[in-house]
Each structure stands twice: as structure tokens, then as C-alpha cells.
Amino acid sequence: MMKKSVYDALNGYSLKDYVLRCEDVDLWIRFFAKGFRGANLQETLYYVREDLEASKRRDFKNATNASKTLFYGFKENGYPSKQYLYVVKPIISVMVPQKIKYAINQRRWRGTKQ
């Protein structure tokens, strides 16, 4: 969540091609680059359950978009060069077979309150 005045100051969501499917990441990167401050809530407000179909929507093009968004965001925020390793995480993740990722997520969420 953010105030509408902050959203307006950031000129809303970007329409750049490489931001497709990672618009929120781009918005938060610009949020912090402009000097706004944020915090994570410690309380879980809702859970998101993903099925196998959700993981299938994460294709190589979307992973490339996410990596580009992270790269430009890290650069804009002056991240140290060792942090740039995280830029390739979306591309590596898309190479892992979907059934394996689905199984890992099922195991991770087992035992959480819902």
C-alpha cells in the first residue's frame, strides 16, 4: 500500500516494455530511488496459493523482463556490484522445471496457518 500522493509523485506504473509482468517491482524500486521510506508489516494479512498453472505463466521473456527491471533498479539505487547477482535469479528460476518448483512451494507452505 502507498498513499495516492506518492503514487502520483512516481507518475504511476511504468509503460516500458521490459517492465511487463513486474510492474510492482519497478514501482517499488522507483519509490525508494525517490527517497520515500517503507516498511514491511510483521503480521501476515493474506496468503497467496499458487497452482501449477500460475508457475507456467513465468516464461523466459517474463524472467528476462524481471532481470532487466532489477538491473536498472539496482543501478538507479546505487546497489553495490555484489548485489547484482540477484539480477539473474529470475532467469535461473525459470530454468527449473515447473513441477519441481511447485513441489518446493507445496513443502514450504505446508504447516502454515491459513
Side-chain angles (χ1 to χ4, degrees), residues 25-102:
V25 173
D26 175 69
L27 186 67
W28 288 112
I29 286 170
R30 291 185 291 118
F31 174 89
F32 289 110
K34 289 274 188 172
F36 292 108
R37 294 180 53 179
N40 286 327
L41 299 175
Q42 297 305 308
E43 177 186 357
T44 301
L45 300 179
Y46 67 95
Y47 291 95
V48 175
R49 182 177 303 272
E50 289 195 14
D51 58 8
L52 192 53
E53 293 302 313
S55 66
K56 287 180 181 177
R57 289 191 295 271
R58 295 186 181 96
D59 60 15
F60 192 77
K61 183 177 184 338
N62 294 330
T64 304
N65 286 348
S67 289
K68 285 180 185 177
T69 300
L70 289 172
F71 175 79
Y72 293 130
F74 283 20
K75 188 175 176 181
E76 187 174 347
N77 282 296
Y79 279 38
S81 56
K82 66 180 180 179
Q83 296 294 324
Y84 282 69
L85 288 173
Y86 291 103
V87 168
V88 295
K89 184 179 181 270
I91 293 173
I92 292 169
S93 177
V94 80
M95 292 180 188
V96 174
Q98 285 134 358
K99 288 186 178 187
I100 292 173
K101 286 190 281 193
Y102 181 72

